[in-house]
Amino acid sequence: MRTIDWVDGAIELVDQTLLPDKCLVLRIHTVHELVDAIRRLAVRGAPALGVAGALGVVLADGDPAQIAELRSARPTAVNLAWGVDQAVAHLHEGREAVLAAALRVRDDDIAACRAMGERGADLLEGDRLRIMTVCNSGGLAAVERGTALGVVQTLHERGRLAEVLVLETRPLLQGARLTTWELARMEAPHRLIADSAGPYLLAKGEVDAVLIGADRIAANGDTANKIGSYALALGAERAGVPFVVVAPESTIDSRTPTGDHIEIEDRGADEIVAVRGVRLAPEGTRALNPAFDVTPHDLITAIVTERRVIRP
């Protein structure tokens, strides 16, 4: 199953807000529909957003205002703007050339995810590995297979995976809703844990490696990823456990020198004070909701891309 694709003149994408209860494919015909899908996280994950950005330029049909709106729909994930730019570079050649460029972005992502899976699995030592991960970095975050969870899938296919410990990933529960759904589909052994249990289980020796994806990697290796990643990096360093970032080359932003320069999206109070429409906190409770954090490069063991392994 492809998370996002171009089918019969429109974008088709899995509405991830409905998972795991329902797997619904949306057909997107306009940039307005696509921006809405991006902002409400119907489509999410850096590689998938890159493909969405490129395909969205086809829908924009050269309209600069629509392209600008699409490019800025989510500020932290660099792949969205990168994907838009890949297609925009061909506007002067006509719509078919733009579509061809967008489809190359899609196809390159599929190849990159498979390559990252192989490279990441080769990097990790051991035959029965216990992996910890946060958020969702599988096929739902890309077109197929994914980044960090793509490594997990490769380990599982090689018979080298003992178990995956999945952080639930508050506030939107991407780990609980999406990653467990993907792991169940690939029949990989896994257990779900509370976010705050991650560092403790690292300290107890229950984990052999932490694998995460990335939404933006600064030039010095500082990495923005789902909130909670930094806590795992601190726990992994204290426990002597490898902390590995898996992301395509397109997520490395050479124009951003360090993590201090990465804009961190705040998604507002509603996601914190309620869960899936059910209010938890008293009416009027204020909240702070950074969607991402930044892990300094000196806490990262390796960054695995489709081309290389980087030691920050």
Side-chain angles (χ1 to χ4, degrees):
M1 181 186 72
R2 289 185 173 179
T3 297
I4 182 168
D5 208 350
W6 182 264
V7 180
D8 297 331
I11 298 172
E12 288 192 350
L13 57 87
V14 175
D15 186 344
Q16 297 183 39
T17 65
L18 302 178
L19 290 170
D21 303 317
K22 185 177 182 180
C23 186
L24 176 69
V25 175
L26 301 176
R27 280 186 62 81
I28 304 293
H29 297 89
T30 68
V31 171
H32 175 75
E33 292 173 344
L34 181 58
V35 168
D36 176 69
I38 290 169
R39 288 179 175 162
R40 66 183 183 85
L41 305 186
V43 59
R44 42 146 299 281
L49 289 176
V51 176
L55 292 174
V57 175
V58 182
L59 298 180
D61 205 21
D63 184 340
Q66 292 188 58
I67 292 171
E69 180 186 16
L70 174 63
R71 196 177 189 279
S72 61
R74 291 198 72 190
T76 303
V78 68
N79 291 67
L80 176 59
W82 173 85
V84 169
D85 293 346
Q86 297 302 301
V88 163
H90 297 271
L91 281 174
H92 67 284
E93 301 173 43
R95 191 174 189 274
E96 289 304 313
V98 173
L99 176 59
L103 295 180
R104 282 196 298 274
V105 170
R106 177 201 64 189
D107 294 344
D108 287 350
D109 180 70
I110 294 170
C113 286
R114 185 165 290 277
M116 285 184 285
E118 298 288 336
R119 196 177 302 277
D122 290 344
L123 175 71
L124 297 175
E125 298 179 356
D127 290 330
R128 298 295 296 165
L129 293 170
R130 301 164 300 169
I131 304 297
M132 180 175 284
T133 192
V134 63
C135 197
N136 173 261
S137 57
L140 290 171
V143 180
E144 297 175 353
R145 294 183 76 89
T147 56
L149 213 63
V151 176
V152 168
Q153 184 171 349
T154 302
L155 289 171
H156 181 51
E157 290 166 350
R158 294 181 181 182
R160 295 179 54 210
L161 181 69
E163 182 181 42
V164 186
L165 294 178
V166 181
L167 272 66
E168 60 181 349
T169 317
R170 281 280 289 143
L172 295 181
L173 302 171
Q174 291 98 329
R177 295 188 302 106
L178 307 180
T179 298
T180 57
W181 184 78
E182 291 202 72
L183 289 168
R185 284 170 59 90
M186 70 175 77
E187 299 183 350
H190 61 279
R191 285 185 286 178
L192 184 66
I193 63 173
D195 292 347
S196 51
Y200 172 72
L201 292 170
L202 283 161
K204 293 292 287 182
E206 299 290 332
V207 181
D208 297 309
V210 178
L211 298 178
I212 69 166
D215 286 85
R216 187 184 298 254
I217 300 172
N220 73 336
D222 293 350
T223 296
N225 192 53
K226 179 56 60 183
I227 193 75
S229 300
Y230 181 36
L232 291 185
L234 291 169
E237 183 191 43
R238 180 67 180 266
V241 172
F243 184 89
V244 179
V245 175
V246 186
E249 292 279 339
S250 55
T251 304
I252 301 174
D253 184 6
S254 60
R255 295 171 296 183
T256 298
T258 72
D260 292 337
H261 298 84
I262 298 176
E263 179 181 356
I264 299 299
E265 177 184 4
D266 188 299
R267 292 187 55 83
D270 289 349
E271 294 176 355
I272 298 292
V273 301
V275 173
R276 307 194 82 180
V278 178
R279 176 169 289 278
L280 301 177
E283 192 74 38
T285 298
R286 301 170 64 199
L288 185 62
N289 184 17
F292 307 94
D293 57 28
V294 177
T295 299
H297 64 276
D298 57 356
L299 294 178
I300 297 171
T301 307
I303 298 172
V304 176
T305 80
E306 68 272 31
R307 298 178 190 168
R308 53 185 170 154
V309 175
I310 304 167
R311 307 279 184 173

